[in-house]
Amino acid sequence: MTLPLHPVQTGFDPRLRNLADRKIVSNVFLQQLLFYRPYFDIGWLLFWAVFIFQNYWEGLKLKDNDIVRTIFFLFWFITEPIRYYAGMYGNLQENLPWLIMFTLLCVFPQMGTHLYLLMGTFRRNARTKAIQYVALGLQLLDLAAGVYTVFSMYRKQKRQFYLFEYVLNQRARERRMAAGIGSQR
C-alpha cells in the first residue's frame, strides 16, 4: 500500500467531494406552473360557481341534476391541495416518489374532472368550453412537465447512486487489500 503524499484527514475521502457536486434537477417550468396555477383555479372555481347558481338556482333551492359533476368537484377539492403539495415538495426537494404522486394525481381525478366538464356536463356553451379548454391545456402542461421531470430526475439520481456505490465499494476494496484480505483483480 502506498501512502498519500498529502495530509489526509481521518474519515475523509477526496473522491467523495466529486459526488457532492451534483446537478440540480428541479424543473423551473414545473415550479412556475405550480406557483401560478392556483390563481387560475380560483377564477375557474368562481366561473363554475356562478354558472351553476345562474342555471340551477330556483327560489331557495339549488336544483342541479348532474350528480357526476358534484362528485368530480368533490374529488377535485380533496385532491387538488395534495397535488399541489406533492408537486412543490417533489420538485423542490428532488423527491421522486412525491413527484410520481403528483403526476398520478394529474391524471386522476384532475384530468377526469376537466374532461367531464368539457364534454359531459349539461348546458354547455361557448364560455364553458373555452374555460375548460384552457384548464385542460394547463393540466396537460402540468402532466407533461411532471413526466419530463420524473424521468430526468430518475436518470440523474440513478447515476449519482451508482457513482456513490462505486466509491464506497472502492474504499472497501482498498481496506481489504491493505489488510491482506482478497485478491488483486
Side-chain angles (χ1 to χ4, degrees), residues 114-165:
H114 293 304
L115 287 173
Y116 180 76
L117 290 174
L118 179 64
M119 293 183 279
T121 191
F122 303 129
R123 294 187 184 180
R124 289 179 296 171
N125 57 27
R127 288 178 300 174
T128 61
K129 288 181 183 179
I131 199 159
Q132 280 313 115
Y133 278 128
V134 172
L136 188 62
L138 286 173
Q139 194 67 30
L140 288 172
L141 275 175
D142 279 352
L143 182 63
V147 168
Y148 172 77
T149 307
V150 163
F151 281 115
S152 65
M153 196 176 289
Y154 174 73
R155 269 195 322 267
K156 301 285 185 194
Q157 288 182 358
K158 182 174 79 169
R159 181 179 178 276
Q160 190 71 22
F161 173 77
Y162 285 124
L163 282 175
F164 188 73
E165 286 295 315

Side-chain angles (χ1 to χ4, degrees), residues 1 3 10 12 16 36 39 56 64 74 83 89 106 116 120 134 136 138 151 154 167 171 174:
M1 174 180 157
L3 295 174
T10 307
F12 177 75
L16 292 175
Y36 292 114
Y39 299 114
Y56 299 108
D64 186 7
L74 182 65
R83 186 180 80 88
Y89 184 77
C106 280
Y116 180 76
V134 172
L136 188 62
L138 286 173
F151 281 115
Y154 174 73
V167 168
R171 289 175 70 190
E174 288 173 358

